[in-house]
Amino acid sequence: MLTFVGLGLYDLGDISVKGLECVRNADTVYLESYTSRLMGTDVAEMEAFFGKEIRVLAREDVEQDPRDIIERALEGRVAFLTGGDPMVSTTHADLRMRAAAAGVATSIIHASSISSAVCGLSGLQNYRFGKSCSVPFPAKGWFPTAPVETIAANLACNLHTLVYLDIQKDRYMRIPEAIALIEEMAEKRGIEPPALYVGIARAGSECPVVAAGTGAALKETDFGPPLHVLVVPGDLHPVEREYLEIFAGL
């Protein structure tokens, strides 16, 4: 059995009772560490809390060569831990299909996800979100502009855009940096940059930071430590605007 277990948004308190029971009864426990991370804990604390050794997986361990995961799931109970909800990331859906093709029974234990948490923290209505996108750290000779094109397409349909910020082994993109990159992308593509952003930091913690405003204003806002996420809203419904005024300083 291979069970995908969502850890939720921020710390060890976010896992469900069902998920906790699954992890403690597992023969092998993996932690996927590249799509999201729980900033309110670390691997050592997880091992102490669960009473299990945790094998940390990089992207290539899941996407390119998941044989070890599947072989162990053929022999015993494997818990595959992810930040947020397990199936928000397509890489996990691919692993589940590979496991099924190998004859492994699979199941999912869901948890809170940033894709739903942004609605509660920002007041933006969930049915008004279009396609999401991710802003990566640029590399030498590589500066993708697809994120701003996705944002522009959503705005043309009066839809909000959830913008995920890059997570790498030794650095986390922050809201001011992401806005600067989006503005640079817009200039390169000849697109008008967004007029309004909502920045959210440390969703799921006791003291998340939520701020709405122009790019210039949010680039000067201190959001504190990661993880950060960004939303580019479409035209605001009066209730959305009032919510942002009360809870995000719009």
Side-chain angles (χ1 to χ4, degrees), residues 103-138:
V104 176
T106 64
S107 64
I108 305 168
I109 299 177
H110 295 283
S112 54
S113 166
I114 191 62
S115 61
S116 57
V118 292
C119 299
L121 290 170
S122 69
L124 298 174
Q125 296 161 351
N126 70 325
Y127 61 85
R128 294 196 57 216
F129 279 78
K131 180 182 177 181
S132 61
C133 62
S134 300
V135 176
F137 286 109

Side-chain angles (χ1 to χ4, degrees), residues 13 19-20 24 40 44 68 120 123 126 129 143 150 160 173 179 205 216 250:
L20 179 59
R24 288 182 171 170
D68 184 65
N126 70 325
F129 279 78
F143 188 85
T150 296
H160 309 320
M173 186 177 292
I179 292 173
S205 69
L250 181 64

Side-chain angles (χ1 to χ4, degrees), residues 33-235:
S33 66
Y34 59 90
T35 59
S36 184
R37 293 178 192 167
L38 270 62
M39 302 306 291
T41 188
D42 57 28
V43 174
E45 288 183 351
M46 289 184 190
E47 290 182 325
F49 181 70
F50 296 133
K52 295 286 183 179
E53 176 188 359
I54 294 177
R55 301 165 186 254
V56 180
L57 299 170
R59 183 181 294 272
E60 55 269 20
D61 298 321
V62 179
E63 295 184 352
Q64 297 177 19
D65 189 14
R67 284 177 296 179
D68 184 65
I69 302 168
I70 293 172
E71 287 172 2
R72 289 180 180 273
L74 283 167
E75 299 171 357
R77 295 167 296 185
V78 172
F80 183 91
L81 311 183
T82 73
D85 183 88
M87 289 302 155
V88 170
S89 175
T90 54
T91 185
H92 305 148
D94 177 72
L95 176 60
R96 190 182 187 201
M97 290 188 290
R98 290 194 194 201
V104 176
T106 64
S107 64
I108 305 168
I109 299 177
H110 295 283
S112 54
S113 166
I114 191 62
S115 61
S116 57
V118 292
C119 299
L121 290 170
S122 69
L124 298 174
Q125 296 161 351
N126 70 325
Y127 61 85
R128 294 196 57 216
F129 279 78
K131 180 182 177 181
S132 61
C133 62
S134 300
V135 176
F137 286 109
K140 185 177 181 180
W142 183 70
F143 188 85
T145 58
V148 79
E149 295 165 17
T150 296
I151 292 168
N154 284 340
L155 289 175
C157 297
N158 198 21
L159 298 174
H160 309 320
T161 308
L162 175 58
V163 183
Y164 297 100
L165 308 190
D166 200 0
I167 297 173
Q168 295 189 357
K169 184 177 180 180
D170 55 353
R171 59 177 177 166
Y172 305 88
M173 186 177 292
R174 300 179 185 237
I175 289 162
E177 184 176 9
I179 292 173
L181 288 170
I182 290 170
E183 291 175 343
E184 186 175 350
M185 293 174 196
E187 183 178 359
K188 285 182 177 294
R189 297 297 297 167
I191 296 171
E192 189 70 22
L196 178 66
Y197 297 88
V198 180
I200 298 173
R202 296 174 305 286
S205 69
E206 292 185 3
C207 299
V209 174
V210 185
T214 64
L218 264 59
K219 283 191 287 186
E220 298 300 319
T221 300
D222 181 10
F223 284 93
L227 294 174
H228 292 186
V229 71
L230 193 61
V231 182
V232 177
D235 293 337

Side-chain angles (χ1 to χ4, degrees), residues 14-31:
D14 287 343
I15 192 171
S16 67
V17 174
K18 187 186 296 183
L20 179 59
E21 181 178 312
C22 173
V23 177
R24 288 182 171 170
N25 289 330
D27 299 307
T28 307
V29 180
Y30 293 99
L31 172 66

